[in-house]
Amino acid sequence: MSNELNTCIQACLDCYRSCQQMAAVHCPEVGGKHVEPDHLRLMLDCAEICRASAALMINQSPFHQQLCGVCAQICRACAESCRALGDMDECAQACERCAESCERMAAGSAS
Amino acid sequence: MSNELNTCIQACLDCYRSCQQMAAVHCPEVGGKHVEPDHLRLMLDCAEICRASAALMINQSPFHQQLCGVCAQICRACAESCRALGDMDECAQACERCAESCERMAAGSAS
Amino acid sequence: MSNELNTCIQACLDCYRSCQQMAAVHCPEVGGKHVEPDHLRLMLDCAEICRASAALMINQSPFHQQLCGVCAQICRACAESCRALGDMDECAQACERCAESCERMAAGSAS
Amino acid sequence: MSNELNTCIQACLDCYRSCQQMAAVHCPEVGGKHVEPDHLRLMLDCAEICRASAALMINQSPFHQQLCGVCAQICRACAESCRALGDMDECAQACERCAESCERMAAGSAS
């Protein structure tokens, strides 16, 4: 397995873990804008797509690049939503790292 | 595959779908008590365990009974949390049907 | 939730269930071509992407169309792999129904 | 989040990754005993339960101990199945580390 694939799997699992924890623990505890429909759904979407993208890369699926492309889009949107809230920079960083890694996979520079 | 196993897989997938939709769409839209930490987390826990229980039954795993036992406990707690909110009776019913079916599986009357 | 979205969620869950069962039970029991790397991986990829696509549609995610586009591609490949084996027509049909439904979602005629 | 919870989440994600990769890539490539029904199903069961256990711990679910108890049982069985094959010691180790960590969680020494 290539280094880049390995890095991207780890970035997806890290981002999954961060978004899942924020959606299930941090955001409901803080309340207010943190539980507004668009933000909370985006956190859940991002957790889901990161977990699925990690799975297809672990499987060494010939379709992982297409899925990484979708994953990068969701991570970018989720990072933006986290940045706007002010106290979610760590989650935003996990999303941005995952987006960058998935964008490289989607661009076909790795396998 | 036995009828009872089939029924339980379907009950788990139905409960997964209901809890996932409530947690990602209904509860954030209604707000207030619907996004309090204990309730929202329970909805997410229930969606997760139902999906995993369905998977192990689909796999005809020799460990599905133990997992169904845990699933039933979470579904009972989730049903109670939904009933307390007043406008989530449909989701509570999906949880109760799933709990009953999983309790039968856990009791070992099926395989 | 629109009828078409509902139908596509169900098609994804049906296809997930069929591919998961074939990969975990039927294919290893039959052996031979059924457990060749390309076929088995495709079954697992298809189960994974169908489950994730169902989740994003249940979430009413604004990104579900892109994911349905990827799901349709994997379902088409999986259907072809099943047809080639001769005794997996039921699974191939679940994949084809899911592919058609996801292609309609991806084409943007629904939300 | 306690150190022990953190360690167990990581052990579950590592074990998930190892079992998923073996089931989707290594075992089908090697063939023979590696794709016999009991072994392959156990790998898939183990990947599934580890992913779900990680999720409930990330959620800080009050039900994570019960699920960790089931996870430990499946990991023990999977480790034994991997050890018997001779060339899967790395995966067996991931299963054993996860089993030990989950057994500690189930015994209630952490939260």
Side-chain angles (χ1 to χ4, degrees):
Chain A
M1 194 182 280
S2 77
N3 274 347
E4 198 161 357
L5 188 59
N6 238 320
T7 302
C8 195
I9 292 169
Q10 196 55 55
C12 283
L13 291 177
D14 289 346
C15 188
Y16 157 66
R17 194 173 160 170
S18 181
C19 289
Q20 182 73 28
Q21 194 181 334
M22 294 297 117
V25 183
H26 176 74
C27 292
E29 280 175 0
V30 175
K33 291 191 174 183
H34 288 74
V35 289
E36 280 186 1
D38 286 353
H39 176 67
L40 200 65
R41 176 172 48 204
L42 207 39
M43 302 296 292
L44 294 172
D45 288 351
C46 197
E48 187 78 35
I49 195 86
C50 284
R51 199 154 69 155
S53 297
L56 257 67
M57 286 188 282
I58 291 166
N59 289 357
Q60 299 182 17
S61 166
F63 296 97
H64 75 270
Q65 290 182 299
Q66 286 97 314
L67 188 55
C68 283
V70 180
C71 190
Q73 288 180 59
I74 298 179
C75 287
R76 288 285 174 209
C78 194
E80 203 177 318
S81 184
C82 290
R83 291 281 181 207
L85 286 173
D87 67 338
M88 294 186 67
D89 282 355
E90 205 180 335
C91 191
Q93 280 169 26
C95 294
E96 286 157 5
R97 272 193 302 269
C98 188
E100 282 160 28
S101 192
C102 281
E103 283 159 5
R104 278 195 298 274
M105 298 302 290
S109 60
S111 71
Chain B
M1 195 181 280
S2 76
N3 274 348
E4 198 162 356
L5 188 59
N6 237 323
T7 301
C8 195
I9 293 169
Q10 196 55 54
C12 283
L13 291 177
D14 289 346
C15 189
Y16 157 66
R17 193 173 161 170
S18 181
C19 289
Q20 182 74 28
Q21 193 181 334
M22 293 297 116
V25 183
H26 177 74
C27 293
E29 280 175 359
V30 175
K33 291 190 174 183
H34 287 74
V35 289
E36 280 186 0
D38 286 353
H39 175 67
L40 199 64
R41 177 172 47 203
L42 206 38
M43 302 296 291
L44 293 172
D45 288 351
C46 198
E48 188 77 34
I49 196 84
C50 285
R51 198 153 69 153
S53 298
L56 256 67
M57 287 188 282
I58 291 167
N59 289 357
Q60 299 181 17
S61 167
F63 296 96
H64 75 269
Q65 290 181 300
Q66 286 97 314
L67 188 55
C68 283
V70 180
C71 190
Q73 289 180 59
I74 298 180
C75 287
R76 287 285 174 208
C78 195
E80 204 177 317
S81 185
C82 290
R83 290 283 182 206
L85 286 172
D87 67 337
M88 292 186 67
D89 282 355
E90 204 180 335
C91 190
Q93 280 169 25
C95 294
E96 286 157 4
R97 273 194 301 269
C98 189
E100 282 160 27
S101 191
C102 281
E103 283 158 7
R104 278 196 296 274
M105 296 303 289
S109 61
S111 70
Chain C
M1 195 182 278
S2 76
N3 273 348
E4 198 161 357
L5 188 59
N6 239 321
T7 301
C8 195
I9 292 168
Q10 196 54 54
C12 282
L13 291 177
D14 289 346
C15 188
Y16 156 66
R17 193 174 161 169
S18 180
C19 288
Q20 182 74 28
Q21 193 181 334
M22 293 297 116
V25 183
H26 176 76
C27 292
E29 280 176 359
V30 175
K33 291 191 174 183
H34 288 74
V35 289
E36 280 187 359
D38 286 353
H39 176 67
L40 199 65
R41 175 171 49 204
L42 206 39
M43 301 297 290
L44 293 172
D45 288 351
C46 198
E48 187 77 36
I49 196 85
C50 285
R51 198 154 67 154
S53 297
L56 257 69
M57 286 188 284
I58 290 167
N59 289 356
Q60 299 182 16
S61 166
F63 296 96
H64 75 270
Q65 290 182 299
Q66 285 99 313
L67 188 54
C68 283
V70 180
C71 190
Q73 288 180 59
I74 298 179
C75 287
R76 288 286 175 207
C78 194
E80 203 177 317
S81 185
C82 290
R83 291 282 182 206
L85 286 173
D87 67 337
M88 293 187 67
D89 282 354
E90 204 180 335
C91 191
Q93 281 169 25
C95 294
E96 286 158 3
R97 275 194 300 268
C98 188
E100 282 161 27
S101 192
C102 282
E103 283 159 6
R104 279 196 296 273
M105 297 302 290
S109 61
S111 70
Chain D
M1 194 182 281
S2 76
N3 273 348
E4 199 161 358
L5 188 59
N6 237 321
T7 302
C8 196
I9 293 170
Q10 195 55 55
C12 282
L13 291 177
D14 289 346
C15 189
Y16 157 65
R17 191 172 163 172
S18 181
C19 289
Q20 182 74 28
Q21 192 181 336
M22 293 298 116
V25 182
H26 177 74
C27 293
E29 280 175 359
V30 175
K33 290 190 174 183
H34 287 74
V35 289
E36 280 185 1
D38 286 353
H39 175 67
L40 199 64
R41 176 171 49 203
L42 206 38
M43 303 296 291
L44 294 172
D45 288 351
C46 197
E48 188 78 34
I49 195 84
C50 285
R51 199 153 68 154
S53 298
L56 257 67
M57 287 187 282
I58 291 168
N59 289 358
Q60 298 181 17
S61 166
F63 296 97
H64 75 270
Q65 290 182 300
Q66 287 98 313
L67 188 55
C68 283
V70 181
C71 189
Q73 289 180 58
I74 298 179
C75 287
R76 288 286 173 209
C78 194
E80 202 177 318
S81 185
C82 290
R83 290 282 181 207
L85 286 172
D87 67 337
M88 293 186 68
D89 283 353
E90 205 181 334
C91 191
Q93 281 169 25
C95 294
E96 285 157 5
R97 274 193 301 269
C98 188
E100 283 160 28
S101 191
C102 282
E103 282 159 7
R104 280 196 295 275
M105 297 303 289
S109 61
S111 71

